[in-house]
Amino acid sequence: MAKSWSTPPGEALRVVPGFDLATADLAATPGWEHSESAADKRLRKDGEHLGEAQERLFAHGRTGGKRSVLLVLQGMDTAGKGGIVRHVLGLVDPQGVELHSFGVPTEKERSQPFLQRIREALPDGGRIGVFDRSHYEDVLVVRVNEVVPREVWEPRFDEINAFEREVTESGTVIVKVALLVSAAEQKARLRERLERPDKYWKYNPGDVDERVKWTRYQEAYQAVFDRTSTDVAPWYAVPADNKWFARLAVGRLLRDAVEGLHLGWPAPDFDVEAEMARLDAQPF
Ligand code: AMP
Ligand code: MG
């Protein structure tokens, strides 16, 4: 038997009023009182359940269903967004996953409302959508680097809440995950990228420039939590200094989201008995 959570992450990690990023222990494993190896077993087991629920979701989409799940991943460089995609989304059938990474907007994207490229990337019915970065960059990096003035980014919190409500009402369950890495752990991870030729490709000299603004990023993330952790689309603050814990937690959050749709297998739109008879009547 795989070991279990003492408090599931949907409860243990949910951002509620009063959450304070500055004092959060990012090496902690809230709700999980077992070892890393027990976590690996748990994640594999959750992956099996997630895989089954995802197949039902996919079948639902194939038969015209409109429900979907959207996993929004935010975090500083090296927080482990890519690892979540590999280790958690890697547990399900890739056909059912729509992954979108959001980088610096193109010129065309900059000329459009900031939510436009996000709307275009929303998952189709039956899919699990994954955003590697998201519309939240428009109140994070944009705020910290003063890409636009406060009068422009400030109203975006309300716009985001209205947008997420609309998306939820159209049948998409949104799971917002902030992977929270400490400054010391980020430094160690960036250092590793410089020490290993197989990691150079992940290194971007600009990451060190962003690092200087750590405190301002913390403030920007705190504002995101304060303003956009809503009942329809709450944030989950996932301590990510232990990669294994972050993967375990997101695996469970995703499993709960997909299973929480309570989808059965689609009913046939044909006569099963008649089809059986037709098949059996064929000579080969
Ligand atoms: P990476 O995720 O490492 O591929 O980097 C993508 C980069 O794009 C990050 O530095 C983000 O901060 C940046 N980025 C993403 N969205 C936006 C945005 N809306 N405005 C400005 N920069 C962005
Ligand atoms: Mg990067």
Side-chain angles (χ1 to χ4, degrees), residues 77 102-105 117 133 137-138 141-142:
D77 289 305
F102 294 97
V104 179
R117 64 175 183 163
R133 303 187 190 270
E137 292 292 331
D138 291 282
V141 66
V142 164

Side-chain angles (χ1 to χ4, degrees), residues 77 133 193 202 204 207:
D77 289 305
R133 303 187 190 270
R193 291 183 179 180
K202 289 190 182 186
N204 171 4
D207 295 347

Side-chain angles (χ1 to χ4, degrees), residues 198-272:
D198 64 324
K199 300 247 177 177
Y200 291 162
W201 67 276
K202 289 190 182 186
Y203 187 81
N204 171 4
D207 295 347
V208 176
D209 301 311
E210 289 312 296
R211 224 181 159 271
V212 174
K213 308 165 201 161
W214 192 269
T215 315
R216 275 152 63 203
Y217 269 106
Q218 295 267 115
E219 284 165 13
Y221 268 96
Q222 183 68 51
V224 162
F225 293 142
D226 293 342
R227 301 286 301 274
T228 66
S229 196
T230 58
D231 284 341
V232 291
W235 275 102
Y236 297 98
V238 179
D241 278 5
N242 291 301
K243 287 180 180 172
W244 64 263
F245 176 76
R247 292 167 188 171
L248 173 73
V250 179
R252 175 62 187 262
L253 288 169
L254 197 57
R255 173 187 167 183
D256 286 351
V258 182
E259 284 187 341
L261 296 171
H262 299 297
L263 296 172
W265 294 107
D269 58 359
F270 46 83
D271 180 337
V272 177

Side-chain angles (χ1 to χ4, degrees), residues 95-237:
Q95 285 187 94
V97 178
E98 286 177 18
L99 170 67
H100 290 272
S101 301
F102 294 97
V104 179
T106 60
E107 201 175 323
K108 179 165 174 272
E109 286 169 343
R110 269 202 307 276
S111 73
Q112 298 169 340
F114 78 102
L115 288 173
Q116 184 60 35
R117 64 175 183 163
I118 304 295
R119 286 183 187 280
E120 287 167 9
L122 289 170
D124 289 331
R127 304 302 169 97
I128 297 177
V130 183
F131 286 177
D132 173 351
R133 303 187 190 270
S134 66
H135 42 303
Y136 285 97
E137 292 292 331
D138 291 282
V139 286
L140 289 165
V141 66
V142 164
R143 169 181 179 162
V144 169
N145 289 331
E146 299 174 354
V147 177
V148 297
R150 177 179 278 267
E151 308 85 81
V152 176
W153 59 254
E154 168 74 27
R156 287 180 176 172
F157 293 116
D158 291 339
E159 255 184 276
I160 287 172
N161 288 337
F163 167 68
E164 291 180 352
R165 173 172 292 278
E166 173 198 324
V167 169
T168 304
E169 283 170 357
S170 75
T172 302
V173 171
I174 307 177
V175 181
K176 300 190 294 195
V177 165
L179 297 170
L180 303 174
V181 76
S182 66
E185 178 62 21
Q186 193 206 41
K187 189 172 209 169
R189 291 182 188 178
L190 286 173
R191 195 152 221 302
E192 191 187 9
R193 291 183 179 180
L194 290 169
E195 284 165 353
R196 288 179 44 179
D198 64 324
K199 300 247 177 177
Y200 291 162
W201 67 276
K202 289 190 182 186
Y203 187 81
N204 171 4
D207 295 347
V208 176
D209 301 311
E210 289 312 296
R211 224 181 159 271
V212 174
K213 308 165 201 161
W214 192 269
T215 315
R216 275 152 63 203
Y217 269 106
Q218 295 267 115
E219 284 165 13
Y221 268 96
Q222 183 68 51
V224 162
F225 293 142
D226 293 342
R227 301 286 301 274
T228 66
S229 196
T230 58
D231 284 341
V232 291
W235 275 102
Y236 297 98

